């Protein structure tokens, strides 16, 4: 007969999904990744744990319409709606990428009623490039 495995841990009779709505977040970070093909909006707490996210693709836009400013605006509104219900009042905004949805997403975030502490552009910029390959034959 198989030996019973003892259950260890504090989450014995709690629902696993219950901890997600229990967190109240007064302050957070909103990350906007705006590429030419899509816009992804992620809302995290100050420690970097993802609370909510949305993209133009998950909002129902297909193909080239995902890169439009309206799709970015819809994605930002969708991601923020859930965290406003969880009590977020202040947020920092990090915008990355060259896409068309940058300004539209920021406009939607401002309209949502969250107070923005700062807005930062974190687009990676190459400086002096990467090292060239070594010469093949000397």
């Amino acid at each position: 007969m198989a030996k019973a495995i003892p259950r260890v841990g504090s989450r014995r009779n709690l629902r696993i999904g219950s901890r997600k709505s229990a967190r109240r977040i007064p302050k957070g970070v909103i990350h906007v990744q705006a590429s030419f093909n899509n816009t992804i909006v992620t809302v995290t707490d100050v420690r970097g744990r993802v609370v909510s996210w949305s993209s133009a693709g998950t909002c129902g836009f297909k193909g080239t319409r995902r890169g439009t400013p309206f799709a970015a605006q819809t994605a930002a509104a969708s991601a923020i709606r859930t965290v406003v219900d969880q009590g977020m009042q202040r947020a920092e905004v990090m915008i990355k990428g060259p896409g068309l949805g940058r300004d539209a997403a920021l406009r939607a975030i401002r309209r949502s009623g969250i107070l923005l502490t700062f807005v930062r552009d974190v687009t990676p910029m190459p400086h002096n490039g990467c090292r060239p390959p070594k010469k093949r034959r000397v």
Side-chain angles (χ1 to χ4, degrees), residues 13-66:
N13 38 7
L14 283 175
R15 280 210 338 262
I16 291 174
S18 65
R19 81 182 156 81
K20 209 165 191 185
S21 60
R23 272 197 304 223
R24 291 197 57 77
I25 308 137
K27 189 167 187 275
V29 185
I30 302 170
H31 300 268
V32 179
Q33 290 175 272
S35 69
F36 291 119
N37 298 319
N38 202 355
T39 304
I40 303 168
V41 181
T42 310
V43 184
T44 67
D45 59 6
V46 285
R47 288 181 58 187
R49 296 175 298 190
V50 174
V51 181
S52 165
W53 70 275
S54 180
S55 71
T58 58
C59 290
F61 293 92
K62 293 230 188 314
T64 53
R65 287 204 299 271
R66 285 184 314 190

Side-chain angles (χ1 to χ4, degrees), residues 2 24 31 53 56 58 60 67 70 74 83 87 109 129-130 136-137:
R24 291 197 57 77
H31 300 268
W53 70 275
T58 58
F70 178 67
T74 311
V83 292
I109 293 166
C130 47
R136 289 168 65 108
R137 283 178 279 284

Side-chain angles (χ1 to χ4, degrees), residues 32-35 94-99 102 120-127:
V32 179
Q33 290 175 272
S35 69
M94 309 287 195
I95 300 181
K96 182 192 283 188
R102 293 165 55 102
R120 179 178 286 174
D121 186 7
V122 290
T123 307
M125 287 293 202
H127 45 279

Side-chain angles (χ1 to χ4, degrees), residues 61-119:
F61 293 92
K62 293 230 188 314
T64 53
R65 287 204 299 271
R66 285 184 314 190
T68 60
F70 178 67
Q73 176 186 320
T74 311
S78 169
I80 288 169
R81 199 174 304 123
T82 55
V83 292
V84 170
D85 297 341
Q86 290 183 16
M88 186 179 283
Q89 289 129 9
R90 294 189 313 280
E92 305 166 355
V93 180
M94 309 287 195
I95 300 181
K96 182 192 283 188
L100 298 170
R102 293 165 55 102
D103 301 331
L106 184 59
R107 222 172 288 126
I109 293 166
R110 279 195 200 279
R111 264 204 310 269
S112 69
I114 292 179
L115 189 82
L116 302 184
T117 51
F118 69 83
V119 179

